[in-house]
Amino acid sequence: NIIEKSLINIITPISLDHQEYLGNNILKITNEKLGIIKKQSDIIVSKQKIKIKNYIKKKLKKIKNYQIYYGKEFKILEKNKKNFCLKIKNKKYKFDNPNLIGEHQIENASVAICTILRLNDKGYNFKNININKGIKKTKWPGRLEKGKLFNIPVYLDGAHNEDAARHLLKYFRNNKIWIIFGMLKNKNILKFLKIIKPIAYGIVAIPIPKEKNCFTTNKIYQVCQQLKINCIEQSSIRSANNYLLKHIEPEKILVCGSLYLIGKIRKKYL
């Protein structure tokens, strides 16, 4: 870690990702993530799986840093379509929902708010009205980003691991959609597609443009066959779009599987 001193260290949700660097053991990955913590810094721990949360608490038990955990010292009390109520220790706050799509973005916003208010405790002066504006104006390209293919809504999401797949499953749980899909070879394609299977009418498999380290469309097809998911192979994003327009006419489209993919094709839909 190149940062020698920090005011606050935030432990965001930990999942299996970048295993080629961090390994395949979730607790070993957690241990690597905890490496950011500095001696004098405060620690804010976001929502975690129980196994990971307990491991973090055990690892941090002997250090004297100020520590707060989602679900204990701060948590979301209620939420609706417009706003959410956040409790931090004994105080309650109401903020508008994030502009970003997905229920998990409210949890992410709660961590950001908790961090900002802790900075206020340290002498900074961030006003709640400005925090609220920031939440509403925040944009995140490639995270359930909405675009269009003519009049068809298109959702662009760089999801490539199991947790991200579960977020897609949750968001589209009441809909089945056509999915344009490409993925790097170092990701677990079988587990990812197995999770999103319930929301998929079918998969249009494409290669990631100018990326040698991606799954071939035939490999994607084989995995879909194994999972009994309808799959069509196409050679490019253009041919995938043309196929869907000509043969399917879907109500909506999801493009996912890789941030590399989204980065190279998103302009076509915006």
Side-chain angles (χ1 to χ4, degrees), residues 224-238:
C224 286
Q225 289 291 99
Q226 182 180 343
L227 295 170
K228 297 181 179 180
I229 301 173
N230 181 29
C231 182
I232 306 297
E233 295 181 65
Q234 293 294 321
S235 60
S236 67
I237 190 67
R238 182 178 180 180

Side-chain angles (χ1 to χ4, degrees), residues 144-150 152-156 180 241 251-255 265 269-270:
L144 282 173
E145 184 178 18
K146 288 187 74 173
K148 281 188 177 182
L149 178 63
F150 292 101
I152 301 172
V154 178
Y155 295 82
L156 308 170
I180 298 175
N241 288 338
E251 291 185 6
K252 59 184 69 172
I253 299 167
L254 168 65
V255 186
I265 59 86
Y269 302 103
L270 301 178

Side-chain angles (χ1 to χ4, degrees), residues 22-57:
L22 300 175
N24 291 303
N25 184 301
I26 192 66
L27 296 184
K28 286 184 178 180
I29 291 175
T30 302
N31 209 49
E32 291 290 333
K33 299 283 188 178
L34 295 179
I36 69 167
I37 295 172
K38 304 299 183 295
K39 288 183 179 180
Q40 305 300 324
S41 66
D42 294 347
I43 303 167
I44 296 177
V45 181
S46 63
K47 187 176 182 180
Q48 307 286 349
K49 296 180 177 68
I50 293 175
K51 179 181 178 180
I52 296 170
K53 184 177 180 179
N54 290 340
Y55 180 81
I56 292 172
K57 284 187 173 182

Side-chain angles (χ1 to χ4, degrees), residues 111-175:
V111 177
I113 293 165
C114 186
T115 304
I116 294 168
L117 295 180
R118 181 58 183 165
L119 287 172
N120 281 352
D121 292 342
K122 290 176 173 289
Y124 290 81
N125 185 26
F126 297 102
K127 297 185 184 301
N128 286 1
I129 190 170
N130 292 328
I131 297 172
N132 203 54
K133 285 180 181 178
I135 292 170
K136 291 173 68 176
K137 290 183 177 180
T138 297
K139 296 181 179 180
W140 194 351
R143 292 297 186 187
L144 282 173
E145 184 178 18
K146 288 187 74 173
K148 281 188 177 182
L149 178 63
F150 292 101
N151 63 334
I152 301 172
V154 178
Y155 295 82
L156 308 170
D157 199 290
H160 54 268
N161 60 30
E162 294 167 52
D163 271 13
R166 291 187 187 95
H167 286 312
L168 293 179
L169 177 67
K170 188 174 183 180
Y171 182 73
F172 292 106
R173 61 187 175 272
N174 296 321
N175 299 275

